[in-house]
Structures are given as structure tokens and as C-alpha cells.
Amino acid sequence: MKINLEYRKKIIKTTIVVILALLFLISLIWFASTFKQLYRTGNLEVDYSITGRPTRLHRPITISDIRVWMTFDYLNVIFKVDPLYFKNTLAITDSKYPNISIEAYARHNRINPQVLLHNIEQAIINYPNNK
């Protein structure tokens, strides 16, 4: 009986190790394929500086990348827009501006978030530095 119990423990330990090794291998393959896909689509560009170290890991943000979770402050920084531009252009009176997300502002003012998003995109296109 004692031998049988030790044999079972050994089989259980071996099984656990094999399962963990397989999970590690699967996750490694998944990571490599995701990395390869991101690199192929251009979402993971690596620009090496003189030192040989990566200096930029992501493609630049474009207008089509704007999402409703972004704040106006974030958009000001990313698109190099004057901090009061959206406030004046879109007639924003919210006291939380620019630290309010597009979605929160739309919800608070009962505006369709997609319509507001479109208006923001148009405002960025029409910004004087973009012409």
C-alpha cells in the first residue's frame, strides 16, 4: 500500500509538471504569434537609435484612433492642440474640462458619444496647425 501511494504521488507530480510545461509552451506560442501579427500590421514599429535600443514602440496616433474613453486633455497633448481649442470650438462649459472623457461629457450633456466623437475629429482636422 505504501508503494502504491508514493507511486500515485509521483504520477500526480509528473502530471502537474507536464501540464504546466504545456501551458507555458502554448502561452509562448500565443505570445510569439501575437507579436508577429502586431509587427506585420504596423502596430508595433521598432525604431532603433544609435545605441541600438528601441526608441519608439508604437505607431503614431491618428484621428481614427480616437476613442470615447479619452479625455480632452489627452487629445490636447496627443494632437498638440491648444488647451482651450475644444472648449471654444465645441462650446464646452463643463467645469471638469479638460479632465473629462468624451463619453462622460456626452453622457452628462445627453449627446450621442459617436456624434461628439465625429465633431472632435472634424475639429482636429480643421485645427490651424493641421492645414
Side-chain angles (χ1 to χ4, degrees), residues 13 42 52 69 75 81 88 91 112 115 119 124 128:
K13 286 181 183 178
W69 59 263
L75 296 176
V81 174
N88 296 333
N112 181 334
V115 171
N119 292 342
I124 293 171

Side-chain angles (χ1 to χ4, degrees), residues 76-107:
N76 291 338
V77 172
I78 296 299
F79 292 104
K80 297 175 179 69
V81 174
D82 182 286
L84 298 177
Y85 178 69
F86 292 119
K87 184 174 186 168
N88 296 333
T89 305
L90 302 173
I92 297 173
T93 58
D94 196 310
S95 63
K96 294 180 183 175
Y97 178 87
N99 297 319
I100 186 169
S101 71
I102 296 167
E103 183 175 33
Y105 177 76
R107 193 175 343 116

Side-chain angles (χ1 to χ4, degrees), residues 24-60:
F24 177 74
L25 184 62
I26 290 168
S27 64
L28 187 63
I29 291 169
W30 175 80
F31 174 77
S33 66
T34 303
F35 187 83
K36 187 176 181 182
Q37 180 184 7
L38 286 172
Y39 186 76
R40 210 177 310 134
T41 59
N43 290 328
L44 183 68
E45 297 176 9
V46 181
D47 183 18
Y48 291 96
S49 64
I50 297 172
T51 62
R53 302 173 82 188
T55 56
R56 185 176 55 129
L57 295 177
H58 302 286
R59 64 179 174 76

Side-chain angles (χ1 to χ4, degrees), residues 52-70:
R53 302 173 82 188
T55 56
R56 185 176 55 129
L57 295 177
H58 302 286
R59 64 179 174 76
I61 291 181
T62 62
I63 291 175
S64 63
D65 295 323
I66 299 174
R67 301 293 181 259
V68 294
W69 59 263
M70 296 178 177

Side-chain angles (χ1 to χ4, degrees), residues 15-26:
T15 304
I16 290 172
V17 168
V18 168
I19 289 172
L20 289 175
L22 285 173
L23 288 173
F24 177 74
L25 184 62
I26 290 168

